[in-house]
Amino acid sequence: MMARRFSVATVSLALYLMLPCSCSCSSSSGSTAGRGPSFEGMYAWGDSLTDTGNYQLSTGVDSPTAHLPYGQTFFHYPTGRASDGRLVVDFLAKQVGLDFLLPYLGLNNTQVNSKGRSLVNLAVGGATTQNADYLNATYNISVFTPYSLDKQLEWFSTLPISKDKDAFSKALNYFGEMGVNDYTLALENGFSIDDIIINFVPNVIKSIQNALEFLIASGAKYLVLEGGFPIGCTPIYTKFWYINATTDHYGCVEELQRLNDIHDKLLKELIYNLSTKYNEDAHLIFFDQLKAYAGILQHPSHYGFVNTTDPCFDTRGSTNLTNVEACSSPSTYVSWDGLHFTEATHNVLLSLFNTKGFVTPYPNFLTSKSFKDQFH
């Protein structure tokens, strides 16, 4: 079956615009701090789920995240994050005792040349896993941001630490979700789910493999990978693009969940193979985002959520975001803008990622005291 076509403007906006917790969750960002190695830096790759300002810096004030209510909850001003506040990458940095990661495009010369406790985020909202020129030449797909995964790796190569294996081995590497923009662009251009599974998913996984092996060859020893994004469960799909689609018992679009499941199956196989290949030379952790999100949908009140189906900042169908107001209690909403998560959701996700059943392996270097002080 062919996917429905959407306007490029609508998809481009949605791709980028892509609770009060219980006691166990409210302190999740620091709940396991100090259990693992004392990391001397942190680097992140990914798309808008991980981007802390690169997309905004590359586009200027035209970026939706350059305006409130983005950033209102924690920072009280827009930071370039596609949320009302902090992201998983922010909570993870805090958990391991580090500060916020700086967007690569915002670094000054002193920060670029630093080999110390470098905190650099190379993720870009809307980034594809496959090379932008390849997508255009092979599938006639035009991307709205050129900063695909290979470009992010090029940026990393400009940092001095990329040439210092010993220093890089003491850093934490966070590989945020990637692939959803490749798949959404394919859907927008009329490819069916089966087309995407056959032609896009293997290439996405291969691109991720190449990136991981490049980082390991550069000295990376501690890598965290986030699993696929639950696009079929987000309001922009369930209430706007796939209104009459068949849904599962969580209310998620079944055919999109099938795509997610295959993506994660291959990603888990990749992580297992790389862990076997590199053994003690590299430690890889898989955050099962699909399973964690399903857990939130299954027991929302347990995590302080009241609304799992509507966005707090409902931008659907609106081209003038200044006329849209956010809800009064973002912490009770799972979705921020119909595609991205609220800060509360990001916080709960990291809490679950520290929990057996939502992360592989468990225990791991983030949760086990056996890794503590391994650098010293």
Side-chain angles (χ1 to χ4, degrees), residues 11-264:
V11 172
S12 294
L13 174 63
L15 275 172
Y16 185 62
L17 292 177
M18 262 223 1
L19 335 172
C21 298
S22 62
C23 295
S24 61
C25 294
S26 61
S27 60
S28 66
S29 56
S31 61
T32 57
R35 291 187 183 178
S38 301
F39 296 109
E40 297 183 5
M42 183 171 171
Y43 300 84
W45 290 262
D47 56 22
S48 55
L49 290 183
T50 306
D51 184 7
T52 57
N54 284 313
Y55 182 81
Q56 177 176 312
L57 289 166
S58 71
T59 60
V61 295
D62 289 332
S63 166
T65 56
H67 304 277
L68 290 170
Y70 286 88
Q72 69 174 22
T73 295
F74 179 80
F75 301 98
H76 308 300
Y77 60 88
T79 64
R81 290 166 173 80
S83 180
D84 60 310
R86 292 164 291 181
L87 314 177
V88 165
V89 66
D90 297 313
F91 289 115
L92 179 58
K94 180 180 179 182
Q95 174 178 308
V96 297
L98 300 173
D99 205 344
F100 294 117
L101 275 64
L102 301 172
Y104 173 84
L105 292 179
L107 297 178
N108 58 41
N109 289 334
T110 301
Q111 292 166 325
V112 169
N113 293 322
S114 172
K115 287 188 179 181
R117 293 171 63 86
S118 300
L119 304 168
V120 183
N121 192 325
L122 302 111
V124 185
T128 55
T129 310
Q130 301 172 91
N131 176 271
D133 292 334
Y134 170 81
L135 287 172
N136 184 261
T138 307
Y139 301 110
N140 197 30
I141 291 177
S142 297
V143 302
F144 71 96
T145 179
Y147 305 114
S148 50
L149 178 56
D150 59 328
K151 183 63 177 179
Q152 295 176 31
L153 294 173
E154 288 179 19
W155 287 349
F156 170 73
S157 296
T158 69
L159 301 175
I161 199 167
S162 68
K163 308 299 189 296
D164 188 335
K165 288 187 176 183
D166 180 64
F168 193 42
S169 71
K170 299 174 183 178
L172 175 62
N173 290 272
Y174 180 71
F175 207 90
E177 182 282 326
M178 290 209 75
V180 66
N181 290 315
D182 302 66
Y183 306 148
T184 309
L185 283 168
L187 288 170
E188 192 275 330
N189 281 269
F191 288 88
S192 69
I193 295 295
D194 287 337
D195 290 334
I196 295 171
I197 290 172
I198 294 171
N199 297 305
F200 285 77
V201 176
N203 286 340
V204 163
I205 300 301
K206 183 62 178 178
S207 295
I208 293 174
Q209 176 181 347
N210 291 341
L212 292 174
E213 299 217 64
F214 170 79
L215 294 176
I216 293 172
S218 299
K221 188 170 184 178
Y222 298 95
L223 302 101
V224 175
L225 287 86
E226 186 176 54
F229 177 69
I231 53 174
C233 306
T234 56
I236 198 78
Y237 282 88
T238 59
K239 293 197 168 188
F240 193 53
W241 288 344
Y242 281 76
I243 297 175
N244 298 316
T246 302
T247 57
D248 60 19
H249 57 288
Y250 294 116
C252 304
V253 178
E254 280 191 351
E255 62 176 347
L256 293 176
Q257 291 300 87
R258 179 165 66 94
L259 170 60
N260 288 335
D261 290 341
I262 292 174
H263 170 95
D264 264 20

